[in-house]
Amino acid sequence: MARITYIEFGGREHVVDVVPGLSVMEGARQGLISGIDADCGGGCSCGTCHVYVDPDWQARVGGRNPIEDATIEFAENVLPNSRLACQITVTEALDGLVVRIPETLR
Ligand code: FES
C-alpha cells in the first residue's frame, strides 16, 4: 500500500491507502475525493484529474509525458508541478505522497 494525502483546494485533507498499480486518480476515486472528476476515466483526454504534486515529491513522481502535456492544456491554473493524476502510477516508492487539488471553476 501507498498512503497518499489529497488536499482539497479549501485545505481539507484526505488520506487514502492506495494499492500499487492503481493511478493516483483511481486512489482519489476510491477515497471519494471531490475535485478530481476524471471525466474520461483515465484516458488522458479530459484534464479533469489535474493535481499539484507537492514540491518535495516532484523528483520522485517525475514529469509529464507528451500526451499528458498536450491534455493538461484543457486544465486551469497549470503550474510547473501540475500533473494529471491518471498518469501517475502508484508504487510503494510513492508511500507518503502529497497532492493538492486545484480550484475548479466548474
Ligand atoms: S482522467 Fe481524464 S485526463 Fe485524467
Side-chain angles (χ1 to χ4, degrees):
M1 287 290 191
R3 183 157 287 192
I4 299 180
T5 300
Y6 299 84
I7 304 176
E8 291 179 17
F9 180 71
R12 190 167 169 213
E13 293 189 15
H14 306 266
V15 178
V16 183
D17 289 325
V18 183
V19 175
L22 295 181
S23 69
V24 170
M25 177 277 281
E26 290 169 318
R29 278 190 160 176
Q30 284 189 344
L32 303 176
I33 312 298
S34 63
I36 298 182
D37 294 343
D39 290 342
C40 75
C44 199
S45 61
C46 70
T48 63
C49 64
H50 178 201
V51 294
Y52 300 124
V53 174
D54 186 276
D56 289 345
W57 284 89
Q58 261 185 287
R60 227 173 305 178
V61 170
R64 298 190 284 264
N65 65 55
I67 297 171
E68 182 183 0
D69 230 357
T71 302
I72 209 161
E73 306 254 328
F74 297 116
E76 296 159 357
N77 304 318
V78 175
L79 298 175
N81 61 335
S82 290
R83 290 289 313 264
L84 295 177
C86 69
Q87 298 302 299
I88 305 171
T89 302
V90 174
T91 64
E92 299 280 358
L94 295 187
D95 183 35
L97 174 66
V98 177
V99 296
R100 289 176 174 76
I101 300 167
E103 180 178 25
T104 49
L105 304 175
R106 280 174 274 125

